[in-house]
Amino acid sequence: MDYIENADILKVIDQEHLDYLIANDPTKLDVAEATAIEELSAYIDVRYGATLAFLPANKKSLLAMYLVDVMLYHLHARIAPDNVPELRQKRYDAAMEWADKVADGFINADLPAKGVEEKSSTLRSGGQPKQSHYF
């Protein structure tokens, strides 16, 4: 895991339950983190630089909390898709609602600004030469 540390996860779930979810295989945490980052990036990247936001040097506690909620939801869904605990479902829904509001501009998140890219303009000025055909 690059962005999330084990301490971030243990703030919302105890070690025993976490071990059960990952079946004592830490690589499942790496996969869950990558999946959650990809899912949240799809929303955040509309207005902010998601690549920069998920660098460990730019870590924000609110984003980390929502990332952990998404990770834990997917870990639970992997085991029993039809039996995800209500708490995990609510926290996942809250994370997605936050991400949606960030994307729509209703929430100004404290995240790195999106880089401005130079784009060539396809707008032309002028017009066609004047036609002088009389019939």
Side-chain angles (χ1 to χ4, degrees), residues 3 37 40-60 63 98 102-103 109-117:
Y3 189 79
I37 286 174
L40 286 176
S41 290
Y43 289 90
I44 292 170
D45 202 44
V46 171
R47 296 187 58 228
Y48 298 99
T51 304
L52 294 174
F54 287 109
L55 289 176
N58 297 331
K59 189 172 184 176
K60 302 292 181 185
L63 183 60
W98 176 83
V102 168
D110 183 22
L111 298 172
K114 190 170 186 167
V116 178
E117 297 177 10

Side-chain angles (χ1 to χ4, degrees), residues 66-79:
Y66 285 134
L67 185 62
V68 168
D69 290 338
V70 173
M71 286 173 60
L72 291 175
Y73 171 82
H74 287 299
L75 287 171
H76 276 283
R78 182 186 61 80
I79 293 173

Side-chain angles (χ1 to χ4, degrees), residues 10-11 18-19 26 31 34 41 47 75 81-83 96 111 128:
L10 295 179
K11 289 178 184 176
L18 181 62
D19 289 341
V31 171
S41 290
R47 296 187 58 228
L75 287 171
D82 295 332
N83 196 19
M96 291 293 93
L111 298 172
Q128 298 292 330

